[in-house]
Amino acid sequence: MDKILEAVVMSSYPNNVKQGLVRRVIEAAKQPMDSEQCWSMLELSTKLYLTGDTKYKREIGKEVLEVYGHYHPEEFEEFFNVRFLLSLLQEGYGPLGKRSHYVLDYIQLGLQFVLESPSANSIFSLLRIEVLRKVCERPSPKQCAKISKLLTQHPQCIPTGKHQLLFCQQLIRCIGQFQCVSEGEEEIMEFLEQVNKVSGLLQRIWRTQTSAILPSLKELFTIISSTEEQEAPSNALASVVQFVPLELMDGVIRNLTNDDSITDVQMMMAIGRMIDWVSWPLGKNIDKWIIALLKGLAAVKKFSILIEVTLSKIEKVFSKLLYPIVREGALSVLQYMLLSFQHSHEAFHLLLPHIPRLVASLKKEDSNSATSSLEQLAELIHCMFFRFSGFPDLYEPVLEAVKALPIPNEDRIKHLLGQNAWTSQKNELACFYPRLASKSETGKIGLINLGNTCYMNSIIQSLFMASDFRHSVLNLTEGNSQPLMTKLQWLFAFLEHSQRPAISPESFLSASWPPWFTPGAQQDCSEYLKYLLDRLHEEEKTGKRIYQKLKESSLMSQAVEQHYLNKTLIEKMFGGKMMTKIRCLKCLNVSSREEAFTDLSLAFPPSDRNVHGSTSVLPVEEIGPQFTEPPENAGQLMGSPWIPRKAPKASDRAAPPMSVETLGFQEPGEAANPVRGNDVGVDAAKDPLSAFGEQACAPKDSRSVPDLINYFLSPERLTAENKYHCEKCASLQDAEKVAELTEGPHYLILTLLRFSFDPRTMKRKKILDNVSIPVVLKLPILVAPEEAEEVCQRGKDGAVPGSGFMTVVYDLCSVVVHSGISSESGHYYCYSRECTDTVPHGQPRDGVPKPASDKQLDFEIQWYLFNDTRVSFSSFESVSNVTSFFPKDTAYVLFYRQRPGRQSCLLHEALAEAGRLHGEPSLHKDLMEAISKDNILFLQEQEKEARNRAAYISALPKSPLWWRDLDRDKDDDSSSGGCSPAAGGGGSGSFHGLVF
């Protein structure tokens, strides 16, 4: 029968004729026959299957084998023996030089008929050894795929024990040598399928034997980190990583990055080759492993590796965004590489020529993937614009390409930059490196205490957090002939862009040092602030202009425009005006004088003096002005504090023309209970000028900021030794003096006069009274009567009809706290937040002021605590309660920012327009280069220190106990401490080109 079958197969008959004859032979084979005939047929079918030169012959061989395996199992088992299989695997089949490529397929075919036979175990044992030997010979991807298919279908043949571990390692080495020799798409898809079969086998083994994973990964790292290989390992290795459980990632990365036996060259080679894996299609979690290793290297301060790898690979990663199949992973890696490379613009600038072409390609693609990627790319680009400003010629084509895409807000940008910076990565072994500093998780930078200089540090941080002022300073042009302002610009720029956790303000200190200050001694921060602002003002006033002129506006008269243009930056930001009036009580003549101020010094009233006004605790939602009906004869109310009313007592101050309003912090659940009372002895209900009674109620035994301002603005009697020389009377007379605010500053600075001279002890003592601080403050500003009426009609700024006053709303920005009992000692720190415009400039047109919303109050804006080198997150609750917890820690200097309103609209609009046009201020070239150089220097310092520490640690005894106390923070956050240097804690291509 075998001769008949062979003759039919080898004949020249058409295949359909052959098929009919073969079918008869196969049907006959299902009948009983002798052993010799079975062997002959099995030998022939084996020959056809293994050496057949056509697919037809191999199919016939396969069909005959299956019939005999099914109908003649004993003969098949005797034929399919261990010796025969060993010969097939070791010597092959067929003539020398033309060995069959189908041996593994043949064995897989035959195994299904001997699984229950007595010889099965012997065959399995043989195959466990032989597949390991085969893998060690580095077979082709096709042969490896056949081995994987065999072992996947028959897992009994997978090597066990130590051989299994070796098998996994050798299989990974095989994958590392896989190469696709053809560029055709079908061949590439076939290649990808083969790789997936091999890596799928590894996944199967790892699921049942998890102990094989880590040794396998070690072998993988050995391959990709090798510097001796002439040819780079295949990107097919990416298919292996995707099957490693993510829960093992942290441990694997930690071991790799802290392994001293791995050289920098090896690590650089490994991470570089891993980044190349982003071109491997359909791989899962590859980007997560790449980013995790990059973060791990940053955590152990190996910045030189990160710099080299980023600059050499970032363009290749960027190019993969053109291909949808690998776009998601490539974009994740690109985002981290760019957002972490913050010390220099070099990496971002490498991509600038390629961005417009990619954006155009993604827009043309018009898919969900392309749209999502465009938005993420635009966000990334704007982060880079923010971080590396000052290159308009380079950025213009890119800005044009992404102009129609969404722009992230500044908070989002700062969040992305803060969480991805190399210096923000935490090392779990950081307790071993106590001297290694990392940037605060807040993203803010501290200032080094140079020896009792906390008074300056707290002021500088408060000024820096005044965002409008900071932007104006950073916008200074080069060569502005203002040395002190230039030094402040440099200091602000380093606080904004440095990678260091804290910087030294030594240069600025020496330039801004008041000549009467004693070096090394504690000083008054308020005194320093006044001197600094005065110096900056005078420097510009002498002709060294820094602030760009406001745009001409049709809404701005020539006089008003000139008024603003003539102001210095300090006047624009901190300058206000106050009218002081003195009335002779004999002839009633009034003399007045208007003067400018940059801060208000608020004295404390005598302890027996009640200054609590008519107050009511209001819920946060109810913060709008409460208007009373105007008096019948509004003409009588000309804004004068001396209108006819109940005569004041000679021993007391008169009532202020308008009480100061506040919006304090109210705990949830507190009842809003109105409390009636008198405001400085005058019945508020009877006095139309006291119409604004909206004030946070402070405890009876404590003061509030509005109390101090009301006391400051209330009339003062000049009698006895303080009599006033009246020019009209030409003699000393009793008089009454009053101060009225006529122009509110953009930033209102309030100094609480806590230090007073005690004649008994001949020393300055500190008033430790707790003063409640409102988060929102409303100040009365005196305006001309006709202007007030116009404001009332338009419903702006909360003007009271006929009163001559309007209210200006201020938001709390910073609080400088003094800790101690004397101005000559103690410590300064500050709480700050960035206040920005939260309501549109346009006001309601119906003339009815609308209540402010929660958003307008900005209670949720993040607060920060700046304590020299230490910066941490905080809250308004902490600001409010600091004196309650630490009686010697008292608020001293307060910064408030004016909300947009009629009086400030010109400045607000100019600042807003500048922000829209320019975004974050652009720094000039020299300053950018200085920051980049210092950032590189810092990374080098950190890396050197980390390596020295690692070398020291590795030489110590491996004890689990010796390091236990190193992770305790010796510096208590709640301790106010002394003011020492340590105070405060110190295009497209081919498909083939895509994959490979």
Side-chain angles (χ1 to χ4, degrees):
M1 189 179 290
D2 59 302
K3 299 298 183 181
I4 298 174
L5 179 60
E6 186 174 13
V8 171
V9 172
M10 299 300 177
S11 69
S12 58
Y13 293 124
N15 285 345
N16 59 338
V17 176
K18 291 181 182 180
Q19 189 65 33
L21 296 173
V22 170
R23 182 59 52 196
R24 293 182 182 181
V25 173
I26 292 176
E27 289 298 325
K30 296 179 181 179
Q31 305 302 319
M33 61 179 62
D34 57 53
S35 177
E36 184 178 352
Q37 185 63 46
C38 285
W39 270 75
S40 297
M41 287 298 289
L42 287 170
E43 286 178 345
L44 175 60
S45 59
T46 298
K47 178 182 177 182
L48 290 173
Y49 188 87
L50 293 175
T51 62
D53 53 359
T54 64
K55 184 178 181 181
Y56 175 72
K57 292 177 181 179
R58 293 194 298 274
E59 288 293 334
I60 291 176
K62 177 183 177 182
E63 195 169 355
V64 172
L65 282 169
E66 289 175 337
V67 169
Y68 278 84
H70 184 75
Y71 290 98
H72 307 282
E74 294 180 0
E75 287 78 6
F76 188 90
E77 180 184 345
E78 184 180 354
F79 178 82
F80 200 79
N81 58 65
V82 171
R83 182 177 298 178
F84 174 59
L85 295 180
L86 181 61
S87 173
L88 282 178
L89 290 167
Q90 293 187 352
E91 300 175 12
Y93 190 92
L96 188 64
K98 293 184 179 181
R99 299 300 189 192
S100 174
H101 299 295
Y102 303 100
V103 170
L104 291 170
D105 306 88
Y106 177 82
I107 294 175
Q108 182 179 341
L109 175 64
L111 278 177
Q112 61 183 309
F113 302 111
V114 297
L115 294 177
E116 305 297 330
S117 69
S119 62
N121 289 332
S122 299
I123 294 176
F124 294 155
S125 297
L126 170 68
L127 290 176
R128 292 188 196 108
I129 297 173
E130 286 301 306
V131 294
L132 176 57
R133 182 185 63 79
K134 280 283 186 183
V135 168
C136 291
E137 292 176 353
R138 305 289 181 264
S140 67
K142 188 174 184 178
Q143 291 300 308
C144 262
K146 289 181 177 182
I147 293 174
S148 300
K149 184 179 179 181
L150 169 64
L151 299 183
T152 300
Q153 187 169 343
H154 302 288
Q156 308 95 320
C157 303
I158 297 176
T160 57
K162 294 181 178 179
H163 286 167
Q164 185 180 83
L165 180 57
L166 181 60
F167 176 77
C168 290
Q169 293 173 326
Q170 293 303 314
L171 199 58
I172 290 173
R173 287 209 167 263
C174 283
I175 298 174
Q177 294 187 356
F178 285 178
Q179 298 296 335
C180 187
V181 296
S182 175
E183 295 188 9
E185 187 170 333
E186 290 185 7
E187 289 80 2
I188 291 176
M189 294 305 296
E190 182 182 1
F191 174 75
L192 292 175
E193 185 178 355
Q194 292 165 356
V195 174
N196 284 338
K197 285 182 179 179
V198 179
S199 58
L201 174 62
L202 281 171
Q203 180 190 25
R204 183 186 182 95
I205 296 174
W206 289 348
R207 282 177 176 173
T208 58
Q209 196 68 32
T210 55
S211 60
I213 298 178
L214 293 180
S216 300
L217 290 181
K218 185 176 181 180
E219 189 70 21
L220 172 63
F221 186 82
T222 301
I223 296 170
I224 63 175
S225 64
S226 174
T227 59
E228 299 175 357
E229 301 289 340
Q230 293 182 350
E231 188 174 354
S234 172
N235 285 344
L237 287 169
S239 64
V240 176
V241 176
Q242 66 178 329
F243 294 123
V244 180
L246 290 179
E247 54 266 26
L248 299 178
M249 181 183 290
D250 290 342
V252 171
I253 298 300
R254 183 169 61 250
N255 290 337
L256 280 178
T257 54
N258 290 281
D259 190 341
D260 295 334
S261 66
I262 301 175
T263 66
D264 284 1
V265 176
Q266 290 175 321
M267 184 61 76
M268 196 178 305
M269 191 70 72
I271 186 62
R273 287 168 172 168
M274 284 182 66
I275 291 174
D276 289 341
W277 292 351
V278 297
S279 63
W280 185 258
L282 307 178
K284 298 179 181 178
N285 301 326
I286 296 172
D287 56 323
K288 293 183 176 65
W289 282 94
I290 295 172
I291 294 171
L293 184 52
L294 291 172
K295 287 183 176 180
L297 291 172
V300 295
K301 317 297 181 183
K302 294 185 178 180
F303 302 121
S304 58
I305 298 176
L306 292 168
I307 292 172
E308 181 67 27
V309 167
T310 301
L311 294 177
S312 63
K313 295 294 183 180
I314 195 165
E315 288 179 279
K316 185 172 184 178
V317 174
F318 185 83
S319 68
K320 302 308 173 187
L321 299 182
L322 288 167
Y323 306 102
I325 198 170
V326 297
R327 182 177 293 152
E328 183 179 358
L331 184 56
S332 295
V333 175
L334 178 70
Q335 284 174 322
Y336 179 76
M337 292 176 78
L338 269 185
L339 290 171
S340 63
F341 201 92
Q342 295 186 26
H343 66 283
S344 168
H345 53 70
E346 192 172 358
F348 178 51
H349 284 192
L350 286 174
L351 304 181
L352 293 179
H354 313 298
I355 293 176
R357 184 171 66 93
L358 175 66
V359 172
S361 177
L362 292 176
K363 288 181 178 179
K364 185 178 180 180
E365 183 181 316
D366 193 26
S367 65
N368 291 335
S369 169
T371 301
S372 174
S373 298
L374 270 175
E375 293 178 355
Q376 294 179 65
L377 183 62
E379 180 178 72
L380 185 58
I381 290 170
H382 283 290
C383 286
M384 294 298 100
F385 285 166
F386 179 92
R387 182 64 185 85
F388 305 113
S389 56
F391 301 92
D393 54 327
L394 296 177
Y395 294 167
E396 186 176 354
V398 177
L399 194 57
E400 179 67 22
V402 301
K403 65 180 180 180
L405 297 170
I407 301 175
N409 60 42
E410 188 171 321
D411 290 339
R412 170 66 176 168
I413 291 174
K414 289 183 176 180
H415 171 72
L416 290 173
L417 291 172
Q419 71 176 7
N420 289 289
W422 287 339
T423 49
S424 70
Q425 305 306 321
K426 299 293 185 291
N427 181 10
E428 292 190 11
L429 302 180
C431 56
F432 296 145
Y433 313 129
R435 289 182 58 196
L436 290 185
S438 60
K439 199 170 182 178
S440 165
E441 62 182 351
T442 64
K444 305 297 182 183
I445 298 173
L447 289 169
I448 296 172
N449 193 310
L450 302 173
N452 283 332
T453 59
C454 57
Y455 66 91
M456 178 189 71
N457 291 349
S458 59
I459 291 300
I460 293 300
Q461 295 286 19
S462 296
L463 292 174
F464 177 79
M465 293 296 285
S467 56
D468 298 331
F469 178 64
R470 179 179 75 244
H471 288 172
S472 297
V473 172
L474 291 176
N475 266 323
L476 286 175
T477 57
E478 194 173 3
N480 54 70
S481 303
Q482 297 177 80
L484 184 58
M485 187 66 84
T486 299
K487 286 186 179 292
L488 183 62
Q489 181 191 40
W490 279 62
L491 183 57
F492 278 6
F494 273 82
L495 283 174
E496 183 82 38
H497 298 293
S498 179
Q499 295 296 300
R500 296 181 183 273
I503 60 176
S504 172
E506 184 175 4
S507 176
F508 187 78
L509 174 64
S510 60
S512 63
W513 182 276
W516 61 89
F517 276 16
T518 304
Q522 180 62 284
Q523 306 294 341
D524 189 329
C525 76
S526 174
E527 187 177 3
Y528 173 77
L529 175 59
K530 289 183 176 69
Y531 176 79
L532 175 61
L533 296 182
D534 185 61
R535 277 276 310 274
L536 294 171
H537 167 68
E538 291 298 328
E539 192 176 75
E540 181 181 356
K541 190 178 178 182
T542 56
K544 301 165 186 177
R545 308 285 295 179
I546 62 168
Y547 195 74
Q548 296 181 349
K549 293 184 177 182
L550 296 172
K551 284 189 171 183
E552 292 185 5
S553 171
S554 58
L555 301 177
M556 192 188 306
S557 68
Q558 187 69 26
V560 174
E561 180 181 5
Q562 198 62 30
H563 171 71
Y564 275 93
L565 291 177
N566 287 337
K567 284 188 171 186
T568 65
L569 177 59
I570 299 303
E571 288 177 311
K572 291 173 183 176
M573 291 295 164
F574 305 102
K577 289 185 179 179
M578 179 170 50
M579 181 74 74
T580 303
K581 298 179 181 180
I582 301 179
R583 184 184 67 164
C584 175
L585 294 180
K586 181 179 180 181
C587 67
L588 301 181
N589 180 58
V590 178
S591 64
S592 61
R593 183 181 76 256
E594 190 177 51
E595 54 188 349
F597 67 89
T598 54
D599 80 315
L600 296 180
S601 299
L602 306 180
F604 283 71
S607 57
D608 59 346
R609 177 71 178 277
N610 174 31
V611 295
H612 292 301
S614 176
T615 63
S616 61
V617 179
L618 298 178
V620 172
E621 291 77 15
E622 300 175 13
I623 65 172
Q626 297 175 341
F627 294 111
T628 59
E629 292 296 326
E632 294 181 3
N633 187 5
Q636 293 180 355
L637 303 178
M638 299 302 293
S640 168
W642 299 295
I643 61 174
R645 64 177 72 179
K646 185 185 295 184
K649 297 180 181 179
S651 60
D652 200 0
R653 291 191 177 214
M658 183 183 295
S659 61
V660 178
E661 295 184 78
T662 69
L663 292 169
F665 182 84
Q666 182 177 352
E667 294 293 340
E670 289 184 359
N673 297 323
V675 181
R676 293 186 177 181
N678 291 338
D679 186 6
V680 200
V682 177
D683 191 338
K686 296 179 180 179
D687 187 358
L689 294 178
S690 298
F692 295 82
E694 192 181 321
Q695 195 170 3
C697 185
K700 291 184 179 180
D701 58 347
S702 71
R703 307 289 188 183
S704 70
V705 170
D707 291 339
L708 303 188
I709 298 179
N710 282 332
Y711 181 64
F712 176 84
L713 296 177
S714 61
E716 175 186 2
R717 283 296 180 89
L718 304 178
T719 59
E721 297 179 356
N722 292 325
K723 284 188 176 184
Y724 165 69
H725 184 274
C726 177
E727 293 182 359
K728 189 173 182 180
C729 298
S731 60
L732 295 173
Q733 298 291 340
D734 289 346
E736 201 169 50
K737 177 182 178 182
V738 68
E740 295 170 337
L741 302 178
T742 57
E743 184 178 319
H746 185 63
Y747 283 99
L748 173 66
I749 302 176
L750 303 176
T751 301
L752 311 188
L753 298 179
R754 291 189 173 277
F755 303 110
S756 62
F757 184 75
D758 188 345
R760 293 178 301 174
T761 60
M762 301 301 290
K763 293 181 180 180
R764 292 181 73 191
K765 67 176 183 178
K766 180 178 178 181
I767 301 173
L768 296 174
D769 293 5
N770 189 8
V771 177
S772 62
I773 305 170
V775 70
V776 177
L777 182 69
K778 293 186 178 181
L779 282 183
I781 302 297
L782 180 65
V783 295
E786 62 274 9
E787 191 176 359
E789 291 299 330
E790 179 184 356
V791 172
C792 286
Q793 291 172 7
R794 296 182 181 180
K796 293 183 178 181
D797 292 323
V800 178
S803 71
F805 286 89
M806 66 178 179
T807 57
V808 177
V809 183
Y810 284 89
D811 295 295
L812 183 64
C813 294
S814 296
V815 178
V816 179
V817 176
H818 177 264
S819 175
I821 58 174
S822 169
S823 62
E824 289 82 18
S825 63
H827 179 56
Y828 288 100
Y829 56 92
C830 75
Y831 295 92
S832 290
R833 65 172 182 164
E834 290 203 50
C835 287
T836 54
D837 296 342
T838 57
V839 294
H841 296 304
Q843 297 293 330
R845 296 183 180 181
D846 55 6
V848 181
K850 297 183 179 181
S853 64
D854 288 345
K855 178 64 179 174
Q856 289 170 267
L857 275 178
D858 291 332
F859 278 120
E860 296 181 359
I861 292 182
Q862 181 62 60
W863 283 87
Y864 302 93
L865 171 58
F866 295 90
N867 198 337
D868 288 337
T869 58
R870 199 174 219 167
V871 187
S872 57
F873 290 113
S874 190
S875 65
F876 180 67
E877 186 177 7
S878 297
V879 179
S880 304
N881 296 332
V882 63
T883 306
S884 302
F885 294 141
F886 308 101
K888 295 180 182 179
D889 292 29
T890 55
Y892 185 38
V893 179
L894 314 177
F895 287 73
Y896 281 87
R897 180 184 184 272
Q898 185 181 149
R899 285 191 186 176
R902 180 186 177 281
Q903 188 187 43
S904 62
C905 64
L906 298 177
L907 181 57
H908 274 282
E909 288 175 3
L911 292 170
E913 182 66 19
R916 287 193 295 268
L917 291 177
H918 307 292
E920 188 65 13
S922 299
L923 305 179
H924 56 77
K925 186 178 179 181
D926 290 347
L927 184 48
M928 285 296 297
E929 288 181 354
I931 294 172
S932 294
K933 287 179 181 179
D934 185 70
N935 284 338
I936 293 174
L937 177 62
F938 171 67
L939 297 179
Q940 292 171 344
E941 292 170 356
Q942 291 288 284
E943 182 170 1
K944 182 179 179 180
E945 185 68 23
R947 292 177 186 276
N948 291 340
R949 289 281 167 177
Y952 172 72
I953 296 297
S954 63
L956 293 172
K958 307 301 181 185
S959 167
L961 301 174
W962 70 271
W963 50 269
R964 182 166 292 173
D965 291 331
L966 286 180
D967 58 351
R968 295 180 183 171
D969 189 354
K970 299 294 197 308
D971 192 357
D972 187 359
D973 281 346
S974 62
S975 172
S976 36
C979 195
S980 65
S988 64
S990 67
F991 190 82
H992 182 270
L994 158 68
V995 183
F996 311 103

